Amino acid sequence: MRKIVIAGNWKMYKTQSEAKTFFSEFPAHLKTTASQAAIADQQILICVPYTNLAILQTILPAIGQANLSIGAQNVHWAENGAFTGEISAPMLLEMGIKYVIIGHSERRQFFGETDETVNKRLKAAQAHGITPILCVGESKQQRDANETESWIFSQLAADLIDVDQNNMIVAYEPIWAIGTGDTCASSEANRVIGLIRGKLTNPNVTIQYGGSVKADNIDEIMAQPEIDGVLVGGASLDPAGFARIVNYR
Ligand code: 13P
């Protein structure tokens, strides 16, 4: 069975004090009537800047929401070394971090991330028992040139070499839908995610959609049969708004 994962990606937003304020408000907005069964198959995840990880991990137990986790937004492939500005999997693991975003289009676009480095980061996360969320997706130019499928297939082929498909999540994030308010039609997201699933060897991989997900389109997105969750940027910054997304059912 495919697990539902509703994830936020805070990107480079929120200082520690802002993060603490978010978590002082967020739990009160979550549905308290959710049955244990519903909680068991739905993971709530918020991927925050590195500077917030430790403080939020100490706050989490007091919230008492067993299916709520904090994740990171990147991880280096080496255990340690002369890699200024990078963070390793053992560093995340020591803080109890179990999820990490890898290969987000902003990393690929602005920080020189390649399929080769994405592949190395995926394997390093998995080697330490951390579940990576692999992001793939096409640009507007690629979509207009009818290259969506071939581009995403080439990303998957290169990124997933020797990657264990039993411990990973994929996020389909069309670049043109990120932060633009221009959501990919849910039927089209469903179609592409179905194609992505067809390229995987494990049919039970959770595949999310990301790109301008909001409280007012979450129900439609989650009603799509191939879509197992969402990766939410801007709308994950507001506690009531993100809780509405989490509470979609
Ligand atoms: P927005 O939800 O702000 O469009 O961002 C999506 C995203 O990049 C999530 O990783």
Side-chain angles (χ1 to χ4, degrees):
M1 180 168 159
R2 283 151 30 199
K3 189 167 183 145
I4 290 170
V5 182
I6 306 293
N9 172 12
W10 279 2
K11 309 192 179 184
M12 198 175 74
Y13 288 98
K14 293 199 192 288
T15 63
Q16 282 193 4
S17 60
E18 289 166 345
K20 282 194 270 186
T21 302
F22 177 97
F23 276 87
S24 69
E25 297 172 13
F26 178 61
H29 295 285
L30 292 175
K31 253 191 207 165
T32 51
T33 51
S35 70
Q36 285 308 312
I39 285 177
D41 72 359
Q42 180 176 324
Q43 177 71 42
I44 310 167
L45 173 68
I46 305 186
C47 296
V48 302
Y50 291 129
T51 47
N52 292 336
L53 290 173
I55 187 86
L56 294 180
Q57 285 293 78
T58 65
I59 288 172
L60 219 47
I63 294 175
Q65 183 85 23
N67 61 337
L68 171 62
S69 298
I70 301 299
Q73 298 173 12
N74 200 5
V75 67
H76 195 264
W77 52 87
E79 303 265 312
N80 50 48
F83 300 108
T84 303
E86 292 283 331
I87 298 284
S88 72
M91 293 171 183
L92 296 179
L93 204 58
E94 189 186 57
M95 286 188 288
I97 299 301
K98 293 289 176 59
Y99 294 90
V100 62
I101 295 171
I102 293 179
H104 192 280
S105 60
E106 288 151 15
R107 299 291 324 165
R108 296 179 190 256
Q109 234 178 317
F110 304 129
F111 300 99
E113 196 77 67
T114 64
D115 286 325
E116 191 189 346
T117 56
V118 165
N119 176 255
K120 286 160 86 169
R121 293 182 199 271
L122 288 169
K123 288 186 289 192
Q126 290 185 331
H128 292 85
I130 299 173
T131 303
I133 300 178
L134 165 65
C135 300
V136 296
E138 80 287 0
S139 66
K140 176 87 172 70
Q141 197 182 11
Q142 288 165 327
R143 174 157 284 262
D144 290 346
N146 284 323
E147 291 167 4
T148 297
E149 290 83 356
S150 60
W151 173 250
I152 291 171
F153 293 165
S154 77
Q155 285 188 314
L156 290 171
D159 296 350
L160 293 178
I161 294 169
D162 295 332
V163 167
D164 175 9
Q165 296 193 10
N166 294 310
N167 182 31
M168 68 167 198
I169 295 169
V170 175
Y172 169 53
E173 297 208 313
I175 296 170
W176 49 271
I178 294 177
T180 57
D182 190 9
T183 324
C184 180
S186 53
S187 55
E188 172 61 7
N190 187 66
R191 184 187 75 84
V192 176
I193 287 175
L195 294 174
I196 291 172
R197 195 176 307 287
K199 291 288 172 187
L200 302 180
T201 52
N202 176 4
N204 293 320
V205 172
T206 293
I207 310 182
Q208 302 173 307
Y209 167 76
S212 297
V213 175
K214 303 207 166 34
D216 62 12
N217 59 24
I218 183 68
D219 296 347
E220 188 190 333
I221 291 167
M222 290 306 293
Q224 298 292 324
E226 295 288 353
I227 302 181
D228 307 321
V230 284
L231 186 54
V232 186
S236 71
L237 296 170
D238 172 61
F242 187 55
R244 168 65 188 88
I245 291 172
V246 171
N247 292 339
Y248 73 94
R249 64 176 180 185

